């Protein structure tokens, strides 16, 4: 599906639908009139096939305990095979209500209070929260910018592991907010360091469908070399914007780790599956390929527009290449002093965005723009931002 058809068919108005992105602006930013291009949530309805299946189920009117069917697994396995080239096995899989919930659960299950957990900022801020809320020791190895593109600092990563001996590494792949799709070589290198020092790898691959170049899943690195110390989490919630339907996946290929998790879950997780969440995901996995094509075309076009417009009007704004995710990481420091970003972006340009320091204390002066919206919203945001900076 092309961008025009996608927007015509699926773009929706979201104000006054109890949307955090649109209706919590006063509460979150102190200004209900901002244009929201913050939280990773989109202005596009799910594929028609999904809303139809949900409507039929709602019409049925019964929402009792539900089971996971083989059809669900087949749909998910097929989607993963087509889009991420993975070889998901049924026994690896368990369910949760969200990827962030799983981060908390897996930290609980596989580490003890006080243990170190290592992450690579700038990175999705709930990684920090999960580690700190669970009273683990936060260890960071910052990504480094090389010729305008972020890379892992492997020497620093290994040095931090040797110094602090973390038990767990949370990998963000593709990486939010810097938009990297890690190559197999980069993943192999970082996972080999973890193997050498016996650090468990928790790969958050929630953005794996939103990619503009080939994606390599952590389970496929060097033909599954690292499966015995790897846990993977993902969900249809980013791809199809289904976050509030509370259905996500945990993969644990290694039997010993899986048993450890199952024993932990027996004690702490007695929730049922989300009937509606699983139905939406199943139908999306079965029929959503063309929809995803339209979404990717729209995100890419919004990215090109924003990048080219910044290059023309404010050429010293630095934008990292968008290899994956629908999030644009923008360095405003050439024009805006670090302590003036809120004043310029929020008070003057009237935008609700994610500020750089949410992702790293060293990322002041950066902002993250959510591109998964209509071209009209992106044009408005870019125009208002440029005018505010020029002022
Ligand atoms: C890297 C990453 N993990 C997890 C999530 C959220 O997942 P969930 O809504 O399933 O908790 C996001 C949302 O943007 C994300 O970017």
């Amino acid at each position: 599906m092309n961008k025009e058809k996608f927007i015509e068919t699926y773009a929706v108005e979201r104000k006054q639908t109890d949307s955090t992105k649109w209706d919590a602006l006063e509460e979150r930013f102190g200004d209900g009139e901002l244009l929201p291009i913050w939280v990773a949530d989109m202005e596009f309805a799910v594929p028609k096939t999904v809303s139809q299946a949900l409507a039929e189920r709602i019409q049925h009117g019964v929402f009792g305990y539900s089971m996971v069917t083989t059809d669900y697994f087949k749909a998910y396995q097929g989607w993963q095979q087509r889009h991420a080239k993975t070889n998901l096995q049924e026994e690896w899989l368990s369910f949760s209500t969200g990827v962030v919930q799983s981060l908390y659960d897996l930290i609980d299950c596989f580490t003890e209070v006080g243990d170190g957990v290592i992450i690579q900022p700038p990175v999705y801020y709930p990684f920090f929260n999960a580690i700190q809320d669970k009273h683990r020791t936060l260890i960071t190895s910052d990504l480094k910018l090389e010729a305008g593109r972020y890379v892992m600092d492997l020497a620093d990563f290994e040095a931090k592991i040797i110094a602090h001996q973390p038990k767990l590494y949370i990998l963000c792949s593709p990486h939010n907010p810097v938009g990297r799709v890690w190559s197999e070589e980069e993943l192999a290198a970082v996972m080999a360091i973890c193997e050498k020092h016996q650090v468990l790898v928790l790969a958050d691959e929630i953005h794996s469908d939103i990619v503009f170049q080939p994606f390599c899943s952590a389970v496929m690195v060097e033909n599954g070399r690292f499966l015995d110390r790897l846990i993977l989490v993902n969900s249809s919630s980013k791809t199809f914007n289904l976050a509030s339907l509370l259905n996500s996946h945990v993969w644990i290929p290694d039997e010993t780790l899986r048993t450890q998790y199952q024993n932990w879950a027996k004690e702490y997780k007695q929730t049922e599956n989300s009937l509606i969440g699983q139905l939406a995901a199943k139908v999306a996995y079965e029929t959503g390929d063309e929809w995803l094509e339209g979404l990717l075309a729209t995100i890419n076009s919004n990215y090109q527009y924003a990048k080219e417009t910044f290059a023309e009007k404010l050429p010293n704004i630095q934008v990292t290449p968008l290899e994956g995710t629908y999030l644009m990481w923008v360095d405003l420091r050439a024009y805006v002093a670090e302590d003036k970003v809120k004043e310029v972006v929020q008070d003057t340009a009237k935008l609700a965005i994610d500020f750089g320091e949410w992702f790293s204390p060293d990322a002041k002066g950066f902002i993250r723009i959510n591109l998964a919206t209509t071209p009209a919203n992106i044009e408005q945001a870019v125009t208002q931002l440029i005018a505010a900076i020029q002022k």
Side-chain angles (χ1 to χ4, degrees), residues 39-40 97-101 103 124 126-127 172-174 176 204 206-207 235 237-238 243 247-248 326-327 368:
V39 60
T97 50
V99 165
V100 171
Q101 180 61 56
L103 299 177
Y124 182 55
F127 285 15
C172 194
S173 176
N176 168 10
D204 178 343
I206 197 168
H207 293 278
S235 167
S237 64
K238 248 357 67 179
N247 179 55
S248 76
Y326 54 76
L327 307 162
R368 191 193 75 172

Side-chain angles (χ1 to χ4, degrees), residues 78-322:
W79 175 272
Q80 278 291 135
Q81 226 291 320
R82 290 197 300 287
H83 292 271
K85 308 278 181 291
T86 54
N87 60 341
L88 171 62
Q89 311 292 306
E90 195 158 4
E91 66 271 18
W92 297 358
L93 184 63
S94 53
F95 292 89
S96 185
T97 50
V99 165
V100 171
Q101 180 61 56
S102 293
L103 299 177
Y104 279 72
D105 293 346
L106 293 160
I107 287 173
D108 234 357
C109 173
F110 291 104
T111 67
E112 305 287 335
V113 168
D115 282 349
V117 181
I118 187 163
I119 58 173
Q120 293 164 305
V123 74
Y124 182 55
Y125 36 89
F127 285 15
F128 293 85
N129 299 342
I131 295 165
Q132 289 167 328
D133 291 346
K134 285 288 170 191
H135 310 289
R136 272 53 173 181
T137 306
L138 173 69
I139 299 162
T140 57
S141 171
D142 288 2
L143 299 177
K144 56 181 185 183
L145 254 179
E146 267 180 10
R149 185 167 178 259
Y150 282 88
V151 293
M152 297 185 184
D153 187 341
L154 294 173
D156 178 73
F157 185 82
E158 184 161 19
K160 294 279 171 58
I161 287 184
I162 291 168
H164 304 287
Q165 304 191 350
K167 293 277 177 357
L168 183 72
Y169 160 48
I170 310 181
L171 163 70
C172 194
S173 176
H175 194 99
N176 168 10
V178 307
R180 277 300 317 277
V181 171
W182 306 113
S183 67
E184 182 170 4
E185 291 69 31
E186 287 172 298
L187 292 170
V190 79
M191 289 167 85
I193 294 171
C194 291
E195 181 180 57
K196 184 168 153 197
H197 299 285
Q198 301 186 342
V199 179
L200 195 61
V201 177
L202 167 50
D204 178 343
E205 296 191 355
I206 197 168
H207 293 278
S208 63
D209 296 323
I210 319 282
V211 290
F212 303 97
Q213 63 185 58
F215 168 76
C216 178
S217 169
V219 294
M220 300 312 286
V221 173
E222 294 189 355
N223 300 314
R225 171 177 155 198
F226 300 102
L227 289 187
D228 61 345
R229 53 182 55 261
L230 175 64
I231 297 166
L232 186 154
V233 285
N234 77 10
S235 167
S236 53
S237 64
K238 248 357 67 179
T239 313
F240 293 101
N241 214 38
L242 299 171
S244 65
L245 297 190
L246 305 181
N247 179 55
S248 76
H249 308 112
V250 179
W251 303 15
I252 310 184
D254 180 75
E255 200 179 338
T256 309
L257 294 177
R258 199 160 62 232
T259 305
Q260 189 176 339
Y261 180 67
Q262 283 161 353
N263 288 339
W264 175 90
K266 229 189 249 172
E267 206 175 334
Y268 295 104
K269 275 180 92 74
Q270 295 296 332
T271 48
E272 291 298 320
N273 297 308
S274 163
L275 168 72
I276 296 293
Q278 294 208 340
L279 177 63
K282 178 173 95 73
V283 180
Y285 289 140
E286 284 168 346
T287 62
D289 294 73
E290 213 198 340
W291 184 97
L292 178 61
E293 227 176 76
L295 174 71
L296 293 178
T298 305
I299 294 166
N300 193 35
S301 161
N302 284 343
Y303 173 72
Q304 295 304 338
Y305 167 81
K307 189 177 145 185
E308 284 161 21
T309 312
F310 288 141
E312 187 192 328
K313 309 275 192 209
L314 295 170
N316 293 324
I317 283 187
Q318 304 294 322
V319 172
T320 51
L322 190 70

